[in-house]
């Protein structure tokens, strides 16, 4: 069982890194606004295996993306946003996972990502006025978070249907 968890975590991390790099090459409508499609794989790890694996996918994806791009600014923004998003999604999934769908859980994660990202930028820039940028990020993050959650739901359903992965993998 431990090997299965390790392999699935590595697979989800590789997928997240590939999507992260591909999304980084796409034009952005405004600074900081993007779909965040790599978070699909962190949310899938949370649903299929648990919070520890979701954190592992997020941390390894951010670290590997930093190694590939060498952008320290993106590293700090990715860590602040990714850890905040994973923490909120894990909490919401644990407390209200039966009542809320994955798209809503992902929207909560997107808002947490935006708050973490803006806090990191405000800290690095030394200017709290950057926090006002969180409002347009919330609007874009709501739509993107919904799409990410919907896609994660489809991936989890597909993995459960076509593989031996059936819901949460027990330790």
């Amino acid at each position: 069982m431990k090997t299965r968890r390790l392999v699935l975590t590595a697979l989800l991390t590789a997928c997240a890194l590939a999507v992260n790099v591909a999304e980084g090459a796409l034009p952005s409508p405004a600074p900081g606004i993007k779909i965040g499609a790599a978070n699909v794989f962190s949310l899938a790890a949370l649903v299929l295996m648990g919070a520890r694996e979701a954190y592992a996918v997020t941390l390894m994806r951010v670290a590997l993306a930093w190694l590939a791009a060498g952008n320290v600014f993106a590293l700090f923004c990715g860590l602040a946003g990714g850890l905040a998003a994973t923490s909120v999604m894990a909490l919401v999934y644990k407390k209200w996972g039966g009542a809320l769908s994955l798209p809503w859980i992902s929207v909560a994660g997107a808002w947490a990502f935006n708050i973490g990202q803006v806090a990191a930028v405000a800290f690095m820039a030394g200017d709290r006025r950057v926090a006002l940028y969180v409002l347009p990020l919330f609007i874009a993050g709501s739509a993107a978070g919904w799409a990410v959650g919907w896609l994660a739901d489809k991936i989890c359903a597909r993995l459960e249907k076509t593989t031996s992965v059936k819901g949460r993998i027990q330790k």
Side-chain angles (χ1 to χ4, degrees):
M1 197 58 82
K2 189 175 181 180
T3 303
R4 174 188 277 178
R5 297 173 73 85
L6 183 63
V7 168
L8 188 55
T9 301
L11 175 66
L12 292 173
T13 300
C15 291
L17 178 63
V19 169
N20 187 320
V21 170
E23 193 174 4
L26 297 174
S28 174
I33 293 179
K34 62 180 189 173
I35 294 173
N39 293 323
V40 165
F41 303 101
S42 296
L43 185 54
L46 174 67
V47 171
L48 296 172
M49 296 179 287
R52 188 173 57 183
E53 285 75 11
Y55 280 112
V57 169
T58 299
L59 289 173
M60 287 191 294
R61 188 238 327 147
V62 170
L64 292 171
W66 170 66
L67 286 174
N71 186 342
V72 176
F73 183 76
L75 172 69
F76 288 125
C77 288
L79 281 176
L83 291 176
T86 304
S87 297
V88 167
M89 288 190 304
L91 176 70
V92 171
Y93 184 74
K94 183 176 181 180
K95 292 276 186 188
W96 301 286
L100 292 176
S101 66
L102 283 188
W104 282 114
I105 293 169
S106 179
V107 168
W111 292 344
F113 187 95
N114 294 147
I115 291 170
Q117 185 180 33
V118 167
V121 171
F123 177 77
M124 287 186 284
D127 189 352
R128 288 183 279 174
R129 292 176 297 175
V130 174
L132 294 174
Y133 193 58
V134 80
L135 296 175
L137 288 178
F138 273 177
I139 295 168
S142 297
W146 184 270
V148 164
W150 179 83
L151 190 55
D153 191 37
K154 299 301 174 199
I155 287 173
C156 290
R158 184 66 134 182
L159 281 173
E160 290 172 350
K161 192 182 228 180
T162 58
T163 66
S164 62
V165 174
K166 304 288 182 210
R168 289 186 53 97
I169 297 174
Q170 300 301 317
K171 291 182 179 177

